[in-house]
Amino acid sequence: MNAHHGIQPSERFGSTWTGTDDHDLDGFADEMSPGQISALVAFQATLPAPTRKENLPDAWQEAADNGEKVFADIGCVSCHIPALPLDSLVFHDPGPIDTAGTLRQSDMTAPLALDLATLSWVQALPRDENGRVLVPLYGDLKRHKIADAANDTFGNELLAQRFVARDVFITAELWGIGSTAPYGHRGDLTTLNEVILAHGGEATESRKNYEALSEDNRQAVIAFLRSLEIAE
């Protein structure tokens, strides 16, 4: 809320942590309560997972099917893992690993608990051999160095994160990417082709594999990515 909307929640910027209830001196005290943050978290946690575009023209569907195979063959799925399993469908806020500066489970009698298994879109998700729900996020929730001297497009972040280099980022989840242009952490890339070609560092080999593809196969990869959309 602070970084993207300029609203300072009291659980992070209130008197407990800053000694004042108006840390940014804008004349508004305790701008967002812990309860309001929890309501926002609950809203986001229960949003349906992005889906795939349906009823595609035959040529687009054929290209997307081929593009998904090519996407895997050139190594993109080593970081953009198609699906990750959930061990539990009960979502808690605060979560068990929330850190100082946010509301923590130790601050409450009982955290908010949402049973996602009751949601129809969760029930429709596939499960693995152990019965765990597979979340189709196309990511790995890990940080990677994705820029280098030869390709520093993604290494242009001006704001440093504590203990994290400016060319290191958590893998972007690709679910819904067909609906979310522009791209890149600064929103300065307009096409999916530009984003792929911007990969350096640990992603260099996959990028080179993409560059070596025929034009038809590159377009197939783009067709696949464009089919991953947020349903209206």
Side-chain angles (χ1 to χ4, degrees):
M1 294 304 299
N2 179 56
H4 297 291
H5 301 287
I7 298 174
Q8 296 194 330
S10 59
E11 69 184 72
R12 175 64 183 87
F13 296 94
S15 57
T16 298
W17 295 101
T18 67
T20 176
D21 59 6
D22 184 16
H23 181 63
D24 56 6
L25 302 176
D26 65 353
F28 293 92
D30 293 327
E31 296 175 8
M32 200 166 190
S33 71
Q36 289 173 318
I37 288 290
S38 290
L40 181 59
V41 168
F43 164 70
Q44 291 182 309
T46 55
L47 287 174
T51 58
R52 296 200 184 204
K53 191 181 292 291
E54 298 180 349
N55 302 317
L56 291 171
D58 291 344
W60 186 350
Q61 187 64 64
E62 182 179 351
D65 291 343
N66 179 52
E68 184 170 10
K69 296 182 178 69
V70 174
F71 185 80
D73 290 343
I74 63 177
C76 298
V77 295
S78 62
C79 294
H80 296 289
I81 300 173
L84 293 179
L86 274 180
D87 289 326
S88 172
L89 288 174
V90 178
F91 178 87
H92 290 102
D93 182 60
I97 60 174
D98 284 357
T99 58
T102 61
L103 197 65
R104 292 174 291 178
Q105 289 189 351
S106 60
D107 300 325
M108 304 183 66
T109 302
L112 173 70
L114 300 172
D115 185 2
L116 302 181
T118 63
L119 302 176
S120 59
W121 66 266
V122 174
Q123 295 168 5
L125 292 175
R127 293 177 179 263
D128 66 10
E129 64 277 7
N130 297 315
R132 297 176 299 180
V133 165
L134 294 172
V135 182
L137 76 170
Y138 290 92
D140 62 2
L141 307 180
K142 296 180 180 180
R143 289 191 177 102
H144 299 274
K145 177 181 172 65
I146 57 170
D148 52 36
N151 194 341
D152 64 354
T153 303
F154 282 139
N156 61 358
E157 180 55 67
L158 300 180
L159 296 177
Q161 305 173 68
R162 179 180 289 186
F163 310 124
V164 180
R166 289 183 172 91
D167 55 5
V168 173
F169 295 90
I170 292 178
T171 301
E173 290 82 30
L174 298 184
W175 59 353
I177 195 170
S179 305
T180 57
Y183 306 106
H185 57 278
R186 296 167 63 90
D188 55 354
L189 301 174
T190 58
T191 69
L192 290 166
N193 182 66
E194 284 182 281
V195 177
I196 297 171
L197 295 179
H199 283 64
E202 297 175 44
T204 297
E205 184 175 353
S206 294
R207 187 203 74 231
K208 288 182 176 178
N209 289 340
Y210 173 80
E211 291 176 315
L213 294 173
S214 66
E215 178 64 20
D216 284 348
N217 278 335
R218 285 197 298 271
Q219 289 298 322
V221 170
I222 301 302
F224 159 62
L225 294 174
R226 287 185 58 203
S227 74
L228 304 176
E229 68 167 10
I230 299 172
E232 296 180 356

